[in-house]
Amino acid sequence: MRVGASIAVATGLYGVSFGALAVASGLTTAQTCVLSLLLFSGGSQFAFVGVVAGGGAGSAAASAAALLGIRNAVYGMQLNALLHPRGWRRLVAAHVTIDESLATSTGQTDPVEQRRGFWVAGVGVFVLWNLFTLVGALAGDAMGDPRDWGLDGAAVAAFLALLWPRLRSRDAAAVAVACAVVTVVAVPFVPPGGPILVAAVVAAALGWRGARERPGAAPAAAPGADPTSRGGAA
């Protein structure tokens, strides 16, 4: 719970930056808040207002936001298998499935803590992000460049704090380094947000290959199945 709350505060504060940037891009305060409430994905939101600020059409802004939102669909599949939300919780869980809630949940080993981390981080970020989006939209130009306040650094620091404990093994560290290199190389050649998707594909490919090569990685037999029959007829 403490990890989720820390992530929620660090990420939520950065909502000020989005609120100020959205208003500077031509959106009204109401439009900014509604966009933040409904889209609720920092990368997609910044991509949307970035296209609008550059004079792009609404369809182009929506396409850029959707491109970055693809990763949340992948997150959703993983979290659905991990947390098994039911009823109305499925809808709420889908809306608060973001980088922070995924990282907090999967960073835990106990199933109870995984669920608790997901909800604390997801709902916490949602509340604080939207609250500080409103603050940023109201403050507008009066607060200057939000980066001067160091809020962009807070979000990055939060992600690094989540990532660091998961780099204990040599394989995990190697995958992280490979994805970092791929991201840096891809930046000049793909649209904003694209490097993250490229790195995600590389990470998935490396993880899949590692699972195949790891001894004992064969799929588990179905409950009640005869373990001697695994692998087919000899």
Side-chain angles (χ1 to χ4, degrees):
M1 179 176 292
R2 186 171 54 187
V3 174
S6 300
I7 294 298
V9 172
T11 306
L13 285 172
Y14 197 43
V16 171
S17 179
F18 171 73
L21 182 62
V23 171
S25 301
L27 299 183
T28 66
T29 299
Q31 289 172 332
T32 298
C33 291
V34 170
L35 178 63
S36 193
L37 282 167
L38 299 181
L39 187 53
F40 186 50
S41 180
S44 296
Q45 292 177 221
F46 279 109
F48 187 95
V49 299
V51 174
V52 171
S59 57
S63 298
L67 176 64
L68 284 176
I70 290 174
R71 72 188 191 284
N72 289 342
V74 179
Y75 297 165
M77 290 186 286
Q78 182 177 358
L79 286 170
N80 187 56
L82 187 68
L83 306 178
H84 305 291
R86 293 288 182 268
W88 60 270
R89 290 183 179 84
R90 289 176 64 90
L91 295 177
V92 179
H95 198 55
V96 299
T97 295
I98 53 178
D99 302 305
E100 291 80 2
S101 56
L102 172 81
T104 304
S105 177
T106 55
Q108 314 302 316
T109 55
D110 180 72
V112 174
E113 291 301 322
Q114 289 175 338
R115 284 191 287 273
R116 185 174 297 164
F118 171 80
W119 287 111
V120 170
V123 176
V125 172
F126 179 82
V127 172
L128 294 177
W129 175 267
N130 283 286
L131 174 63
F132 283 100
T133 292
L134 175 61
V135 172
L138 293 175
D141 295 335
M143 63 176 298
D145 189 342
R147 289 175 295 184
D148 294 340
W149 297 59
L151 297 179
D152 52 339
V156 174
F159 272 109
L160 288 176
L162 283 173
L163 177 63
W164 190 257
R166 309 190 69 181
L167 301 180
R168 295 170 180 167
S169 71
R170 188 166 53 185
D171 289 346
V175 171
V177 171
C179 290
V181 172
V182 167
T183 301
V184 172
V185 172
V187 165
F189 304 104
V190 299
I196 297 176
L197 297 177
V198 174
V201 172
V202 171
L206 292 175
W208 176 76
R209 179 178 178 182
R212 285 179 58 87
E213 294 178 349
R214 191 177 303 122
D226 180 2
T228 62
S229 64
R230 187 181 301 171

